[in-house]
Amino acid sequence: MVHRKIPGLYSFVKLLCRTLFHIFFRDYDAFHTQFIPQDEPLLVISNHGNYLLDGLALLATFPGQISFLMAQPNFKTAIGGIARKIGAIPVLRPQDAEKYDGTSMVTIAHDGNSIIGHGIGWQLKEGDTVYIECGSFQDESKDPRVSQCYAVVQTIVSDNEVAFKAPGLKWIPATLTSERDINYIKSRKIVRHGSLKIRVERGNTWVGINEALNEQGRQNGFQQVASSATGTIGKFVQKIFTKSPEGSDLTSRLENGAYTGADIPGSVTAPENFHTETTPLLKRARSNIQPMHATPRQNLLRGDSTARLSSFSTTQSSSVMGDAEDEEELISNGHHHLARNNTSGVTVELHTSNNIAPVAPSSSVPESTAVTAPIRPRFPARPCPFQYSNPIDHSMIYESVWNNFEDRRTVAVFPEGVSSDDYHLLDFKYGCTIMVLGYLAQHPSKNLKIIPCGLNFFNRHRFRSRFYADYGPPMVVPDRLVNMYREGGEAKKHACTELLQMIHSAVEKLTLNAPNYDELRLYKATRRLFSTGMKLSVPQKLELTRRIANGYATLNAVTTPAMAALKRDINAYDKHLSNSGVRDSQLTANPSILAALLFTLPALFCLPLLFLLSLPGTLLFGPSALLATWAAKKKGAQAMLAFQSYLPVTRWPGRDVIATWKIVVSLALMPVCFILYATLLTIGVQHLHALNEYYGVVWTTGRLVTFWILTTFVALPTIAYGTVWIWEWQIDLKQQIYVWWWKLCGGNAEMKRWRQDLVSRMPELIERMGGRSAFDVSKHY
């Protein structure tokens, strides 16, 4: 049973979270909280897209008390100590389990499905996780810094052999938890290439980067078109990615000239070498496979153009290191490909670790002839040391959760497991279904409802952005699934899978899912154009945007040239607004001539006054804000540099961690500023003897302490918060002045005509998406 040890601590933490949200977000709210049952056990299930802010968001918006599941190592920190006292439940993850050293060396089978070693059958048992240190062994299927692989023991074959569960040994994904990983990211940097932010290894020149990108365009022929920044395509969210054309279909459409780039989010026309968020990591002389279509100019520049493209997989969430079978196919088929296509008279080399000889072009080699290469081993053949960990007993976690349910408490979980830089839901873990079905199976007479929640952050990385929590209707678990869970075996698995799909679908309806950031902007731009003249509440805007996203999914399945052109024009219009610094709402505003005449000049005089009012706070606290922004962007960059799954993107990466670090750094710096400035001011007041004698004021110790306290906790925080508000007023007033000025001078007439043309084309788009009735949100509250 979980007890909150300090009375009132939960209320204080909740108040602190709400205060932080009032400061950080320009607007935040929670919708449909009236449907949340009171005084009964609940399981709140939410998406996880903004790191630590997601937990704070539930604390700030949920009407009652709530307990969280938190990783056990976090309980060693100050935040973890507070979390424990407000009812957080520790979770031991596989990476946190204690590891034991093996007493012998092991040899890995070629397929990675078993190992052989003296006495390992006595050391290991079924369910143990084995970690094998492979040293400097490298191949194209993994990050070069990764040296460990792991698998779970399925069977003890003999005293000296152990078999693993499918799919066998896997390379451990790179993290920021080891000194080796932290040092490795220093060898990388992020560079800008047009609108892309690309992760490259230090030492690359721009000549090398451009050559690598051009080479990729020639080799791939657009056979991989993007959908996700991290490549984590879940088994329940694959339908999201049908928006992008398939590789084979796209290739044929490019060849016959039918493809114009309309399906590439954010592109007006398809450029010659367009690279989206799945552009692989640019590497410097690390890949063993050299370009297959190298030109004489490339050979001359090879010293500067050694930037290579890695062959990491971007379609599996379980591993970010790729598939060795793809590499073996490339090696075995590469010679045949060269024999048929290399007609330039230049000898092209295909380098491998087996030192295969160069293949020269020859007209006498028939097209059906294929030169095979030896298959490269996936794992080292030499003996390697290993460690192992025992299976984690999650029964204690479930017991803690069920005890909360017994006490009629609410427990919150994030089934995705980790926060993501993506704009769609990841796979959900099965633990949440066991919490629900296990409790109901043990307590047939008890009730337990599931509350889906969608945390919708708009520009989640920015200070003074917007956030809305949308709570869905309570979900009642069907008795049929509970009975299936009691049966055990396959029936239990089917029950968990079906319930997980129900939960995923419920959370998906409360969130806005898009394959990438450009597509998300397209949905919002379409919603603004379609809703011209409508007065919509925030929940109605959210619901309308979700329906438009679903409509585009339907439209992309049967697109037409006219719809593709409209989508392309909407993208171009939205990007033009962004580049011009103009808001769509400014184009729709239509003030009267009298209002423009009366308010323009006074507003112009108010701007300098507001600037002067904000100047003291800006000078005092501006450096802290800049430092917090810099630190947060560094953390976002580290997320991209450290993980192979974070590929080149069209916006600054790591947006899921930036807001958290802005708040964390600000919470550390702002109190220091308050104390420092208050102390300096108190010392200054104490030493103004002449002023004190003139006014007859005697600054006793008590008065100085009171002055210091009021300055630290009242005056300076008020100045800081007031400065934020004044800056917002300046920005809003500046935008309004533009509207009045355009009304007087007829400015932006061309852009307004462009918008009006798009609005006139909306009915056809909406009709093809399902009809106007499908987008009627007037009854949605």
Side-chain angles (χ1 to χ4, degrees):
M1 184 177 297
V2 178
H3 296 282
R4 293 179 171 86
K5 301 180 180 179
I6 302 179
L9 179 61
Y10 184 90
S11 299
F12 173 77
V13 173
K14 189 181 188 72
L15 177 62
L16 179 62
C17 290
R18 288 181 172 178
T19 303
L20 289 175
F21 272 50
H22 275 297
I23 296 173
F24 190 84
F25 294 104
R26 182 169 187 168
D27 184 28
Y28 88 93
D29 202 354
F31 306 128
H32 308 126
T33 56
Q34 69 272 18
F35 300 125
I36 299 177
Q38 301 295 323
D39 196 29
E40 62 178 275
L42 302 171
L43 180 66
V44 176
I45 296 182
S46 175
N47 58 313
H48 197 12
N50 212 356
Y51 198 35
L52 297 182
L53 252 63
D54 292 333
L56 301 181
L58 291 181
L59 278 173
T61 59
F62 192 78
Q65 292 191 353
I66 194 167
S67 300
F68 293 93
L69 270 66
M70 180 180 290
Q72 186 166 303
N74 293 334
F75 282 85
K76 300 177 182 178
T77 64
I79 296 178
I82 297 175
R84 184 187 294 275
K85 288 180 172 58
I86 64 173
I89 302 171
V91 177
L92 183 63
R93 302 171 299 178
Q95 58 266 38
D96 304 324
E98 183 178 0
K99 296 179 183 179
Y100 307 94
D101 292 329
T103 58
S104 62
M105 307 286 277
V106 295
T107 302
I108 306 173
H110 175 75
D111 56 7
N113 292 327
S114 62
I115 55 174
I116 298 174
H118 179 69
I120 60 174
W122 292 96
Q123 283 184 271
L124 304 174
K125 63 178 183 294
E126 294 181 4
D128 285 351
T129 302
V130 178
Y131 302 88
I132 302 177
E133 180 64 45
C134 298
S136 60
F137 175 80
Q138 301 295 340
D139 68 1
E140 294 297 321
S141 66
K142 70 180 183 68
D143 184 338
R145 70 189 147 137
V146 173
S147 62
Q148 275 193 342
C149 53
Y150 73 103
V152 178
V153 176
Q154 182 179 38
T155 307
I156 306 298
V157 179
S158 66
D159 293 347
N160 301 321
E161 185 177 0
V162 167
F164 295 132
K165 292 182 179 180
L169 284 167
K170 296 179 292 184
W171 296 109
I172 296 180
T175 66
L176 285 174
T177 57
S178 69
E179 182 178 355
R180 173 184 58 193
D181 295 334
I182 294 174
N183 290 335
Y184 190 84
I185 67 174
K186 296 179 181 179
S187 66
R188 297 177 176 181
K189 63 180 179 180
I190 295 177
V191 298
R192 296 178 183 269
H193 188 277
S195 62
L196 291 177
K197 284 75 175 177
I198 306 177
R199 178 184 61 190
V200 301
E201 295 197 0
R202 295 187 184 277
N204 278 318
T205 64
W206 276 113
V207 173
I209 294 172
N210 286 318
E211 288 293 335
L213 290 174
N214 293 333
E215 184 64 31
Q216 186 212 22
R218 285 189 291 271
Q219 291 187 29
N220 292 351
F222 295 97
Q223 291 186 15
Q224 286 187 338
V225 175
S227 49
S228 169
T230 61
T232 49
I233 301 179
K235 49 193 169 187
F236 297 141
V237 295
Q238 286 185 356
K239 58 182 179 294
I240 293 175
F241 302 100
T242 58
K243 299 178 178 63
S244 296
E246 297 293 336
S248 57
D249 178 58
L250 178 60
T251 303
S252 61
R253 292 166 64 188
L254 283 169
E255 290 176 352
N256 59 32
Y259 190 70
T260 62
D263 290 330
I264 300 179
S267 65
V268 178
T269 57
E272 181 181 358
N273 291 311
F274 184 82
H275 299 279
T276 62
E277 292 186 355
T278 55
T279 307
L281 165 69
L282 292 180
K283 311 187 70 184
R284 178 179 175 82
R286 193 176 291 274
S287 174
N288 291 325
I289 303 178
Q290 300 299 327
M292 294 185 180
H293 302 287
T295 63
R297 178 174 177 269
Q298 289 174 327
N299 291 331
L300 292 174
L301 294 174
R302 188 60 52 85
D304 289 330
S305 62
T306 52
R308 294 293 299 125
L309 300 174
S310 66
S311 58
F312 296 138
S313 169
T314 59
T315 59
Q316 296 293 333
S317 60
S318 59
S319 174
V320 295
M321 264 61 75
D323 192 351
E325 295 178 1
D326 296 338
E327 176 193 342
E328 292 166 4
E329 181 181 358
L330 176 62
I331 294 176
S332 61
N333 295 335
H335 296 76
H336 177 53
H337 180 75
L338 289 175
R340 290 188 288 117
N341 294 287
N342 187 4
T343 58
S344 61
V346 180
T347 300
V348 183
E349 298 183 6
L350 180 64
H351 296 283
T352 68
S353 59
N354 301 87
N355 297 323
I356 300 175
V359 179
S362 174
S363 58
S364 62
V365 179
E367 291 188 0
S368 59
T369 303
V371 183
T372 59
I375 297 178
R376 170 181 291 171
R378 295 176 56 193
F379 302 99
R382 57 177 176 77
C384 303
F386 76 98
Q387 293 180 311
Y388 65 95
S389 62
N390 296 325
I392 297 176
D393 183 11
H394 289 116
S395 60
M396 295 296 294
I397 302 173
Y398 296 129
E399 286 293 336
S400 298
V401 172
W402 294 336
N403 287 337
N404 274 271
F405 294 156
E406 282 291 298
D407 293 340
R408 295 179 175 272
R409 297 188 186 277
T410 300
V411 178
V413 296
F414 301 100
E416 292 172 279
V418 295
S419 65
S420 166
D421 195 29
D422 283 322
Y423 292 87
H424 59 83
L425 294 179
L426 304 183
D427 280 346
F428 278 13
K429 307 297 189 297
Y430 282 88
C432 60
T433 62
I434 298 175
M435 294 174 190
V436 176
L437 294 175
Y439 177 77
L440 293 177
Q442 294 180 22
H443 306 85
S445 61
K446 298 293 183 66
N447 292 322
L448 175 63
K449 295 179 181 178
I450 301 172
I451 306 296
C453 176
L455 301 180
N456 298 277
F457 293 89
F458 295 90
N459 293 317
R460 52 182 164 176
H461 64 297
R462 288 185 178 176
F463 179 61
R464 302 302 290 175
S465 55
R466 290 175 170 83
F467 155 69
Y468 304 104
D470 198 354
Y471 291 92
M475 297 175 56
V476 178
V477 180
D479 293 336
R480 173 179 55 85
L481 297 183
V482 179
N483 295 331
M484 292 172 60
Y485 185 88
R486 288 196 189 101
E487 294 178 14
E490 290 299 321
K492 178 178 180 180
K493 294 180 181 179
H494 289 313
C496 291
T497 301
E498 185 174 344
L499 180 59
L500 191 64
Q501 289 175 328
M502 293 170 56
I503 293 172
H504 190 281
S505 177
V507 176
E508 189 178 36
K509 291 178 181 178
L510 300 172
T511 55
L512 182 57
N513 294 276
N516 51 53
Y517 181 58
D518 292 328
E519 194 83 359
L520 181 64
R521 289 182 57 177
L522 174 66
Y523 302 159
K524 293 180 180 179
T526 304
R527 187 258 302 164
R528 288 191 291 267
L529 293 170
F530 172 69
S531 61
T532 300
M534 302 181 186
K535 292 184 178 180
L536 302 177
S537 63
V538 173
Q540 289 173 336
K541 290 180 180 179
L542 288 173
E543 179 62 21
L544 180 57
T545 309
R546 296 185 195 116
R547 295 186 186 185
I548 287 175
N550 295 332
Y552 269 114
T554 304
L555 180 66
N556 288 337
V558 287
T559 188
T560 64
M563 292 298 99
L566 176 57
K567 181 178 177 180
R568 185 168 61 244
D569 290 344
I570 296 174
N571 270 320
Y573 167 77
D574 183 60
K575 287 186 176 295
H576 184 72
L577 286 183
S578 178
N579 295 334
S580 303
V582 179
R583 298 177 183 176
D584 183 76
S585 59
Q586 292 177 274
L587 299 181
T588 59
N590 188 25
S592 63
I593 294 290
L594 180 60
L597 287 171
L598 291 177
F599 297 128
T600 300
L601 285 179
L604 288 174
F605 283 110
C606 286
L607 278 179
L609 179 60
L610 290 175
F611 175 76
L612 292 176
L613 289 175
S614 64
L615 189 59
T618 304
L619 295 176
L620 288 174
F621 306 110
S624 299
L626 293 176
L627 184 59
T629 303
W630 173 82
K633 291 189 69 174
K634 289 289 289 184
K635 288 296 182 179
Q638 283 184 358
M640 183 179 185
L641 291 172
F643 294 93
Q644 291 293 2
S645 56
Y646 282 83
L647 303 176
V649 291
T650 55
R651 71 286 184 277
W652 193 259
R655 288 190 171 188
D656 59 315
V657 303
I658 288 179
T660 296
W661 281 104
K662 283 182 179 179
I663 291 179
V664 169
V665 176
S666 297
L667 285 176
L669 291 179
M670 295 305 288
V672 173
C673 291
F674 294 157
I675 294 173
L676 176 62
Y677 295 150
T679 302
L680 293 175
L681 190 59
T682 303
I683 294 174
V685 169
Q686 183 183 13
H687 286 79
L688 290 178
H689 297 292
L691 183 63
N692 296 339
E693 293 176 358
Y694 179 80
Y695 287 102
V697 178
V698 178
W699 286 95
T700 62
T701 303
R703 287 184 175 181
L704 289 174
V705 172
T706 303
F707 177 81
W708 183 89
I709 292 175
L710 291 176
T711 304
T712 303
F713 297 102
V714 179
L716 290 175
T718 302
I719 292 174
Y721 190 52
T723 302
V724 172
W725 276 91
I726 293 173
W727 271 108
E728 282 191 353
W729 292 340
Q730 291 183 73
I731 295 173
D732 293 342
L733 185 58
K734 181 181 176 181
Q735 298 291 340
Q736 188 60 44
I737 289 174
Y738 279 135
V739 173
W740 291 329
W741 184 253
W742 294 338
K743 183 66 176 180
L744 295 174
C745 303
N748 268 339
E750 183 178 352
M751 196 178 298
K752 290 181 179 180
R753 285 194 297 269
W754 188 4
R755 188 187 192 281
Q756 189 59 39
D757 175 66
L758 293 175
V759 171
S760 65
R761 297 160 66 185
M762 284 291 107
E764 182 182 1
L765 175 66
I766 296 302
E767 189 64 30
R768 289 185 175 274
M769 284 183 175
R772 193 176 184 86
S773 60
F775 297 90
D776 183 10
V777 294
S778 58
K779 297 181 180 180
H780 184 85
Y781 298 99

